[in-house]
Amino acid sequence: RDRGKLSLYGAAMFGIALTNIDRNNSEAGEIVRIIEQYLVQDDENQTAYLDLQRYNNWCWWYWHGSEFETQAYYLKLLMRTNPKSGAAPKLVKYLLNNRRHATYWNSTRDTAICIEAFAEFIRATGEDKPNMTVNVLYNGQVKKTIKITPQNLFEIDNTLILSAEEITAGKHKVELRKRPDGDSRSPLYFNAYLENFSLEDPILKAGLEVKIERRFYKLERDTAAKTQTAGGRGQVVDIKTDKYKREVLASPSAVKSGDIVEVELLIESKNDYESIIIVDHKAAGLEPEEIRSGYLHNANSRLYPYVEFRDERVVFFVERLPRGKHSLTYKLRAEQPGQFSALPAQVAAMYAPELKGNSDEDKVNVGDK
């Protein structure tokens, strides 16, 4: 009767209890349908999670508000009601991506519950008994053959590194093929990493787990801007205020010496991260309006970063980057006339540099006043 009033954490545990009474309990399926209203699937990075902040009774400080425990119990419920659910492997990837230091979650409690959920996932999907032989091909040639069984699952040499000499100019094809003598139902997981030096002009944006976009605005002072205040005798007095109109600048951006340019950095994060560094390589010929480093008090940002204004770049240090979209702004003054390139802004994890993204390169033309 009151299942609609339960927290998502409680609903998932209630559904698991129903399956303990009867594995084919139809009411457990109804619980799944209640919970999946809050399921968000991201096809770009193949993750899924329950958006607890959309749930009215969610409070992070309550034990039943634990995000990772809720996700894990939902995964356990799916394994009992619909082990072939397309959301299940995405939930696993989301939980794996959100480990602290790639080792644990928030506590020994939620870490244990996540591992329990993974164990149920592996048993329900049969991934604990792989039986396959995989050929790794590069441009049609077999570079490596790997046999994967339950006995060597955690001991196989599963890496292949291609050196720069092997990758010549032109198109290349990397293939993973499962040989027909194994179990075709065994899933195969893989990752590919590419490091390269590019001579392209302009440099284009890139990023998956974290993304960054840079925008330029020309600030025009509004000379007619006034505000009302109380005078010495209590009368209403109009006084001039510093107010600007923002004009979006396209790339290449054209400004004149003396113009004020506002830089907006738009950051999008797929997960919650810590110790993030954001670097904006400013164009030569423009200098920051502020010269003192310190914590940035920006009404449009929840990040509260520490900012350093350096000769060639502006650097933001963010202690916590929550999942979602964020904005950081600062001002530059156009000074030296000329044609300049603003190299891409970058966002990265300080202690996990493989987590990174960059914006487009921008061109800035500064004319004489």
Side-chain angles (χ1 to χ4, degrees):
R1 183 194 63 192
D2 297 326
R3 62 191 175 196
K5 300 177 182 178
L6 290 172
S7 67
L8 298 184
Y9 186 111
M13 295 187 75
F14 178 50
I16 292 172
L18 292 173
T19 62
N20 287 337
I21 298 171
D22 179 5
R23 196 72 176 183
N24 299 315
N25 194 308
S26 60
E27 289 188 30
E30 294 180 14
I31 296 296
V32 171
R33 287 190 287 275
I34 291 174
I35 298 175
E36 68 184 9
Q37 298 177 72
Y38 302 92
L39 183 67
V40 178
Q41 300 197 48
D42 190 332
D43 293 331
E44 186 177 28
N45 67 346
Q46 299 177 332
T47 59
Y49 60 91
L50 295 174
D51 188 356
L52 301 186
Q53 297 189 36
R54 285 176 45 211
Y55 185 66
N56 292 333
N57 295 329
W58 177 75
C59 295
W60 64 267
W61 56 87
Y62 290 156
W63 63 269
H64 56 76
S66 169
E67 177 183 8
F68 300 127
E69 291 184 36
T70 303
Q71 316 283 352
Y73 276 124
Y74 177 57
L75 177 61
K76 293 176 74 169
L77 178 59
L78 279 181
M79 291 304 96
R80 297 170 183 227
T81 57
N82 183 17
K84 295 183 179 180
S85 168
K90 296 180 179 180
L91 273 166
V92 171
K93 184 177 180 183
Y94 175 82
L95 286 169
L96 286 172
N97 285 353
N98 280 276
R99 290 173 295 171
R100 292 176 181 267
H101 313 296
T103 307
Y104 60 92
W105 284 266
N106 285 328
S107 65
T108 54
R109 175 191 170 93
D110 62 11
T111 297
I113 294 171
C114 287
I115 293 174
E116 284 181 6
F118 291 166
E120 289 209 24
F121 174 81
I122 291 172
R123 283 198 302 267
T125 57
E127 293 187 22
D128 57 335
K129 297 180 176 64
N131 179 23
M132 68 180 104
T133 302
V134 180
N135 288 335
V136 185
L137 295 88
Y138 177 62
N139 291 336
Q141 294 184 347
V142 178
K143 285 284 187 179
K144 196 165 191 173
T145 299
I146 306 168
K147 176 72 174 177
I148 305 174
T149 65
Q151 289 72 34
N152 71 351
L153 181 58
F154 298 104
E155 300 174 353
I156 57 174
D157 178 15
N158 59 353
T159 60
L160 173 65
I161 299 175
L162 298 173
S163 64
E165 291 75 16
E166 296 178 271
I167 305 177
T168 57
K171 292 184 178 181
H172 301 274
K173 188 175 184 180
V174 178
E175 298 176 82
L176 299 173
R177 293 182 185 173
K178 291 196 293 184
R179 284 174 29 178
D181 55 349
D183 185 357
S184 61
R185 296 173 298 175
S186 297
L188 177 65
Y189 297 96
F190 61 91
N191 285 302
Y193 299 92
L194 175 65
E195 293 183 358
N196 67 297
F197 179 80
S198 175
L199 296 175
E200 63 182 336
D201 186 21
I203 302 171
L204 300 179
K205 62 183 178 183
L208 180 60
E209 297 294 334
V210 287
K211 301 178 182 180
I212 185 168
E213 182 182 346
R214 179 173 56 197
R215 295 177 183 174
F216 290 117
Y217 300 91
K218 180 181 176 182
L219 299 184
E220 292 281 358
R221 188 183 297 274
D222 186 358
T223 56
K226 294 181 180 180
T227 187
Q228 292 183 336
T229 187
R233 299 179 180 178
Q235 76 275 28
V236 176
V237 178
D238 290 332
I239 60 172
K240 290 187 177 181
T241 58
D242 281 338
K243 192 172 182 180
Y244 295 91
K245 298 177 182 178
R246 293 206 314 177
E247 176 188 343
V248 179
L249 295 175
S251 185
S253 304
V255 294
K256 293 183 179 181
S257 180
D259 286 346
I260 303 297
V261 177
E262 184 176 63
V263 181
E264 182 178 26
L265 302 175
L266 301 171
I267 301 100
E268 180 181 356
S269 175
K270 301 285 187 180
N271 297 295
D272 297 330
Y273 294 112
E274 296 179 349
S275 300
I276 297 296
I277 183 170
I278 300 166
V279 181
D280 186 29
H281 299 276
K282 68 180 185 64
L286 287 83
E287 297 297 333
E289 277 275 273
E290 296 286 339
I291 58 174
R292 179 177 293 181
S293 301
Y295 284 99
L296 182 66
H297 298 272
N298 192 318
N300 297 324
S301 175
R302 298 176 295 158
L303 303 182
Y304 192 56
Y306 186 90
V307 58
E308 291 186 357
F309 297 101
R310 303 181 181 177
D311 288 342
E312 77 287 5
R313 62 190 185 273
V314 178
V315 185
F316 300 89
F317 297 94
V318 178
E319 183 177 353
R320 296 182 184 276
L321 179 66
R323 180 178 63 231
K325 296 183 179 180
H326 309 275
S327 171
L328 293 172
T329 60
Y330 71 96
K331 295 182 179 66
L332 296 171
R333 180 184 296 274
E335 293 187 355
Q336 183 68 32
Q339 298 179 352
F340 308 102
S341 290
L343 292 176
Q346 298 171 308
V347 55
M350 295 183 66
Y351 305 110
E354 64 274 10
L355 176 68
K356 57 187 175 182
N358 64 268
S359 70
D360 289 326
E361 177 186 359
D362 292 291
K363 306 294 183 181
V364 180
N365 298 327
V366 180
D368 287 327
K369 190 172 182 180

